């Protein structure tokens, strides 16, 4: 069991090319933290620095209050699961799982007991004699998990462990990992580019972009209070709608995107006042847009409607901005038709179009 | 492919195969002919005889030289596999200043003909008092630039994650190389092994220079001295018999491992 902390960590691959820039992360003991972001954002580099597979150019890494910058990976008391499983091809499942224990000179009874236990947890008991090439993707990833849990490390690191699996298996393994965390209560750090994995697994999520940490928070807070346009757009599916327009004020604020003038309701944040007659970006989630019964709504044209079974995604346009909304499956709409919609402005977010920071 | 094209295709292959095989078959069959028939064009002996072999075994310690060759070749090959893979691993997987320069220098040594370094090497052996020892045959051959090159190329394509996983599992560099990478590099090991073994087995010049004692001579050296030194009593059959004995082990090894050898040549540089 251990907490993990990164203090002012930077990794410069070559002059001016950063893997990660001035990162500060504090992870509590037993916490499940997910690093999420598009590919190339530095999340894997961060994980590899924690693992000791990569050296930080600057800053300090702490595992369990101990500065580990100069500690080799094997002595950091961590285990890691890789995207492509990274099983030893010439060893069978038993040997794969026990290799780390053997190198650490555990006695063979202890090894056998631990492997048996791990195999039971992961349902691998019947596969122990098989070589990796005779296993399916899901089984291989379970072996990789087994290899890390037998060591009983104080920190688990996952580097996109589910990316190579098909959609169904991914959901299944996701719950397995969740269960594993509930059972072991060990600190886990998980890297993924999939925001659904991030939302469902993480106690806290660290959103990264371009080598910089954008926001660190609980899934709910990230969803409800994104600090900038990137986080707002990255978390949530379908992603948040962004409408860029000019903010004006008469008796209430209005937003003119060039095609329609959207009348904002009373009680908008005071901070908007400095953007009057300037460009601004409004963000609103698909579920905060509903079809309107009255004629007071905002007129939109439906371009595509996608039936998901339990709901419909409506892809609409104002003429200048594209807007997606999720509506109940029973509404009847026509592609190409015009509809009136209401925005739930109390859930709207406003972003500075230059800095993309939340206003 | 049309029947005509196919016929032509196989005819060319057949002629090619015969061109390479004929002298060899002739040599082997000639060793079983009476001396008088050897210069005739017939392939099969009129009378089957082992006279030529008898002469070889009586005149020179051919078995001793065979064992010498085997010992020297196997030891040097094992050493090449051990050390060259170590260097290849370092050059492909470890990061340090000057790595590419070192690799460049190693490549450069491949371009220098062995004849140029022959005399300096000999002087070195004399100064180290190694002449007339097995060590004089083994030490200079105990690592090879070619082996390093081949291992480096293959190790470059080895998945990084497996190495990372081993490192986290607690493996040091030697464990990673010999317990993780080696078992997954069998074709490359066999290729380097065969090429090295053949090279050392067939070498005549170097043994001739550093070995004078008959009990330490390698087989090619012994056979060469036998053929040109007068002890074969100008018997062509005996010379050919000695040459056959020399060639057979290499051929057997090659036949045994050729499927790995070809596979490795075909896939070197390709991942999985």
């Amino acid at each position: 069991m251990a907490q993990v902390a990164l203090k002012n960590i930077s990794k410069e691959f070559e002059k001016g090319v950063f893997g990660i820039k001035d990162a500060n992360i504090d992870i509590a003991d037993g916490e499940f933290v997910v690093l999420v972001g598009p590919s190339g954002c530095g999340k894997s580099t961060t994980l590899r620095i924690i693992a000791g597979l990569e050296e930080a150019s600057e800053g300090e890494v702490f595992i369990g209050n101990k500065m580990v910058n100069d500690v080799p990976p094997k002595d950091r008391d961590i285990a890691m699961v890789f995207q492509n499983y990274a099983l030893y091809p010439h060893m069978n499942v038993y040997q794969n799982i026990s290799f780390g224990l053997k190198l650490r000179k555990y006695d063979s009874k202890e090894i056998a007991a631990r492997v048996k236990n791990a195999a039971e947890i992961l349902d691998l008991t019947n596969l122990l004699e098989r070589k990796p090439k005779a296993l399916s993707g899901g089984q291989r990833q379970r072996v990789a998990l087994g290899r890390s849990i037998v060591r009983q490390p104080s920190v688990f690191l996952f580097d996109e462990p589910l990316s190579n699996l098909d959609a169904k298996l991914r959901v299944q393994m996701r719950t397995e990992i969740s269960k594993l965390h509930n059972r072991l209560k060990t600190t886990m750090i998980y890297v993924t580019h999939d925001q659904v994995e991030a939302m469902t697994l993480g106690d806290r999520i660290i959103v990264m972009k371009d080598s910089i940490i954008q926001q660190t928070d609980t899934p709910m807070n990230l969803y409800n209070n994104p600090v900038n346009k990137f986080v707002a757009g990255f978390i949530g599916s379908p992603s948040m709608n962004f409408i860029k327009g000019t903010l004006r004020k008469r008796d209430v604020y209005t937003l003119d995107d060039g095609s329609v003038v959207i009348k904002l309701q009373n009680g908008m944040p005071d901070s908007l006042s400095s953007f009057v007659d300037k460009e601004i970006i409004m963000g609103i989630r698909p579920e905060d847009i509903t079809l309107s019964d009255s004629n007071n709504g905002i007129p939109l044209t439906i371009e595509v409607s996608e039936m998901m079974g339990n709901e419909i995604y409506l892809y609409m346009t104002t003429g200048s901005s594209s807007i997606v909304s999720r509506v109940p499956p029973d509404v009847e709409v026509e592609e190409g038709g015009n509809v009136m919609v209401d925005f739930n402005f109390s859930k709207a977010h406003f972003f500075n179009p230059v800095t993309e920071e939340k206003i | 492919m049309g029947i005509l094209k196919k016929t032509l295709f196989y005819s060319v292959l057949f002629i090619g195969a015969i061109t390479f095989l004929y002298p060899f078959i002739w040599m082997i069959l000639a060793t079983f002919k009476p001396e008088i028939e050897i210069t005739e064009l017939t392939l099969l002996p009129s009378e089957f005889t082992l006279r030529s072999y008898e002469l070889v075994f009586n005149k020179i310690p051919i078995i001793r030289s065979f064992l010498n060759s085997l010992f020297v070749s196997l030891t040097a090959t094992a050493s090449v596999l051990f050390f060259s893979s170590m260097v290849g691993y370092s050059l492909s997987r470890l990061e340090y200043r000057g790595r590419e320069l070192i690799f460049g220098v190693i490549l450069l040594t491949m371009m220098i003909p062995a004849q140029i370094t022959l005399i300096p090497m000999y002087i070195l052996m004399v100064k180290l008092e190694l002449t007339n020892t097995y060590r004089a045959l083994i030490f200079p051959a105990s690592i090879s630039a070619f082996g390093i090159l081949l291992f480096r190329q293959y190790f470059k394509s080895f998945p990084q994650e497996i190495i990372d996983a081993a490192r986290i599992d607690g493996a040091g560099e030697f464990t990673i190389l010999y317990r993780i990478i080696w078992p997954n590099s069998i074709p490359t090991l066999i290729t380097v092994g065969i090429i090295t073994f053949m090279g050392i087995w067939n070498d005549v010049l170097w043994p001739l220079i550093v070995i004078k004692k008959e009990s330490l001579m390698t087989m090619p050296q012994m056979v060469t001295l036998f053929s040109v030194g007068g002890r074969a009593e100008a018997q062509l059959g005996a010379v050919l018999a000695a040459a056959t004995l020399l060639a057979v082990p290499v051929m057997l090894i090659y036949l045994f491992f050729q499927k790995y050898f070809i596979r490795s040549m075909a896939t070197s540089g390709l991942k999985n």
Side-chain angles (χ1 to χ4, degrees):
Chain A
M1 296 281 166
Q3 57 271 57
V4 176
L6 303 189
K7 301 221 184 306
N8 306 102
I9 286 289
S10 289
K11 171 78 187 176
E12 200 171 8
F13 287 115
E14 45 193 282
K15 198 119 194 84
V17 182
F18 282 90
I20 178 162
K21 225 171 173 174
D22 200 23
N24 285 290
I25 298 176
D26 270 298
I27 296 166
D29 183 19
E31 200 178 12
F32 197 128
V33 169
V34 179
L35 285 159
V36 70
S39 45
C41 70
K43 54 193 191 302
S44 285
T45 306
T46 311
L47 199 71
R48 293 173 62 82
I49 288 173
I50 298 172
L53 296 170
E54 204 96 59
E55 229 175 289
S57 318
E58 261 172 66
E60 292 169 330
V61 182
F62 292 85
I63 296 177
N65 291 327
K66 187 180 162 216
M67 213 263 264
V68 293
N69 281 36
D70 297 319
V71 178
K74 66 186 167 95
D75 299 327
R76 290 191 180 195
D77 201 12
I78 48 151
M80 188 156 168
V81 178
F82 296 87
Q83 178 176 354
N84 59 8
Y85 327 124
L87 301 179
Y88 310 123
H90 58 296
M91 297 184 190
N92 66 23
V93 171
Y94 185 93
Q95 292 163 327
N96 259 290
I97 295 178
S98 60
F99 187 65
L101 299 176
K102 252 189 210 152
L103 289 182
R104 277 156 223 267
K105 311 251 187 291
Y106 281 79
D107 72 57
S108 55
K109 263 195 210 138
E110 170 79 8
I111 294 179
R114 286 202 190 189
V115 173
K116 185 166 170 273
N117 185 34
E120 273 163 18
I121 293 173
L122 295 163
D123 197 15
L124 290 168
T125 312
N126 296 327
L127 305 173
L128 289 174
E129 298 299 315
R130 294 226 197 142
K131 291 267 178 75
K133 67 169 183 250
L135 299 175
S136 70
Q139 289 167 336
R140 287 181 201 184
Q141 201 51 288
R142 291 215 300 276
V143 176
L145 278 177
R147 185 168 62 183
S148 50
I149 64 177
V150 284
R151 295 241 324 274
Q152 303 175 351
S154 50
V155 181
F156 281 97
L157 306 174
F158 296 92
D159 192 0
E160 308 214 16
L162 309 183
S163 303
N164 279 9
L165 305 179
D166 63 52
K168 200 174 155 199
L169 211 50
R170 205 177 305 160
V171 176
Q172 196 185 326
M173 286 299 292
R174 204 166 72 201
T175 41
E176 300 255 340
I177 291 175
S178 249
K179 275 194 253 169
L180 202 62
H181 183 239
N182 292 337
R183 179 200 278 252
L184 302 174
K185 304 261 181 268
T186 310
T187 314
M188 292 189 175
I189 306 174
Y190 188 106
V191 161
T192 179
H193 61 262
D194 180 354
Q195 52 104 4
V196 179
E197 271 173 35
M199 294 293 280
T200 49
L201 286 171
D203 295 329
R204 270 192 312 153
I205 298 174
I206 298 171
V207 184
M208 294 187 67
K209 182 200 169 200
D210 297 340
S211 318
I212 291 168
I213 294 177
Q214 307 287 313
Q215 187 172 1
T216 306
D217 219 325
T218 61
M220 264 336 264
N221 282 343
L222 276 186
Y223 193 79
N224 292 328
N225 303 305
V227 295
N228 59 32
K229 185 176 168 239
F230 174 79
V231 176
F234 194 79
I235 302 290
S237 169
S239 41
M240 186 185 277
N241 296 295
F242 295 109
I243 303 167
K244 196 176 190 179
T246 313
L247 189 72
R248 294 191 212 287
K249 181 156 194 191
R250 301 242 159 66
D251 30 325
V252 291
Y253 287 112
T254 59
L255 183 68
D256 181 356
D257 84 335
S259 303
V260 292
V261 177
I262 299 168
K263 199 165 121 188
L264 310 185
Q265 71 187 139
N266 283 319
M268 285 291 125
D270 298 336
S271 47
L272 281 187
S273 56
S274 57
F275 283 86
V276 171
D277 294 325
K278 288 185 194 152
E279 286 225 302
I280 193 169
I281 295 171
M282 180 174 76
I284 188 151
R285 294 210 180 268
E287 60 269 31
D288 297 323
I289 301 173
T290 47
L291 295 179
S292 172
D293 305 328
S294 71
N295 283 335
N296 298 335
I298 300 145
L300 297 176
T301 310
I302 297 174
E303 293 187 310
V304 176
S305 87
E306 281 180 352
M307 170 53 99
M308 306 305 290
N310 60 339
E311 59 190 358
I312 297 175
Y313 295 163
L314 289 180
Y315 293 88
M316 302 174 286
T317 173
T318 62
S320 327
S321 311
S322 296
I323 288 170
V324 55
S325 151
R326 52 209 304 178
V327 297
D330 48 0
V331 292
E332 281 179 27
V333 288
E334 203 183 305
E335 290 185 1
N338 294 320
V339 285
M340 290 289 185
V341 299
D342 288 330
F343 285 6
N344 180 359
F345 289 109
S346 65
K347 295 278 188 74
H349 306 269
F350 296 93
F351 302 99
N352 181 325
V354 183
T355 63
E356 302 199 336
E357 297 293 317
K358 187 169 177 172
I359 297 165
Chain B
M1 208 187 289
I3 187 92
L4 190 74
K5 211 168 167 187
K6 217 170 183 173
T7 315
L8 192 74
F9 186 67
Y10 280 101
S11 307
V12 171
L13 285 183
F14 184 74
I15 293 167
I18 289 294
T19 315
F20 281 99
L21 279 177
Y22 181 81
F24 202 71
I25 295 169
W26 179 85
M27 175 179 87
I28 292 172
L29 289 173
T31 60
F32 299 113
K33 287 180 187 170
E35 184 68 23
I36 193 127
E37 274 178 37
I38 289 177
T39 47
E40 288 169 19
L41 277 174
T42 52
L43 213 51
L44 290 174
S46 63
E47 172 200 0
F48 185 85
T49 168
L50 289 174
R51 256 280 309 131
S52 302
Y53 288 94
E54 246 168 65
L55 192 67
V56 174
F57 281 92
N58 288 337
K59 289 284 177 186
I60 49 172
I62 189 87
I63 305 234
R64 170 76 202 210
S65 71
F66 171 80
L67 293 176
N68 285 342
S69 267
L70 203 64
F71 172 70
V72 167
S73 303
L74 286 178
T75 314
T77 303
S79 163
V80 164
L81 293 180
F82 184 79
F83 289 115
S84 297
S85 66
M86 218 190 257
V87 180
Y89 175 74
S90 152
L91 289 173
S92 61
R93 288 306 186 160
L94 305 179
E95 279 180 27
Y96 46 90
R97 199 181 286 269
R99 186 178 79 166
E100 297 310 306
L101 181 73
I102 291 171
F103 180 56
V105 170
I106 291 170
L107 278 187
L108 202 68
T109 64
M110 287 180 77
M111 292 162 207
I112 301 171
Q115 289 81 345
I116 290 180
T117 55
L118 211 56
I119 290 168
M121 283 277 268
Y122 175 68
I123 294 170
L124 202 63
M125 290 298 130
V126 172
K127 292 256 158 87
L128 293 172
E129 296 178 7
L130 290 179
T131 49
N132 275 318
T133 64
Y134 285 130
R135 282 165 292 168
L137 296 172
I138 295 168
F139 284 179
S142 57
I143 188 161
S144 94
F146 172 76
I148 292 170
L149 174 71
L150 227 63
F151 280 121
R152 174 183 176 270
Q153 294 317 104
Y154 182 75
F155 292 166
K156 262 185 164 232
S157 69
F158 196 83
Q160 179 63 42
E161 274 101 341
I162 293 182
I163 295 176
D164 287 344
R167 205 160 274 158
I168 289 174
D169 259 347
E173 304 302 338
F174 286 100
T175 311
I176 291 175
L177 176 58
Y178 296 117
R179 287 177 68 182
I180 302 294
I181 298 183
W182 262 43
N184 292 298
S185 310
I186 308 267
T188 307
L189 286 165
I190 287 177
T191 304
V192 174
I194 289 180
I195 292 176
T196 307
F197 185 89
M198 283 185 180
I200 298 167
W201 182 274
N202 290 333
D203 193 15
V204 180
L205 194 54
W206 183 246
L208 276 175
I209 290 172
V210 291
I211 302 292
K212 298 277 177 292
K213 251 199 218 153
E214 198 170 77
S215 63
L216 294 178
M217 284 184 182
T218 65
M219 204 165 161
Q221 181 184 11
M222 186 68 82
V223 169
T224 308
L225 291 176
F226 173 68
S227 309
V228 301
R231 276 200 282 185
E233 296 171 354
Q235 301 270 317
L236 193 53
V239 172
L240 291 174
T244 304
L245 290 175
L246 181 63
V248 163
V250 180
M251 263 175 53
L252 288 180
I253 287 174
Y254 184 77
L255 285 177
F256 189 71
F257 287 116
Q258 74 155 332
K259 90 177 167 196
Y260 298 98
F261 187 68
I262 289 166
R263 191 191 304 160
S264 146
M265 278 305 200
T267 56
S268 56
L270 278 179
K271 196 171 170 182
N272 295 329

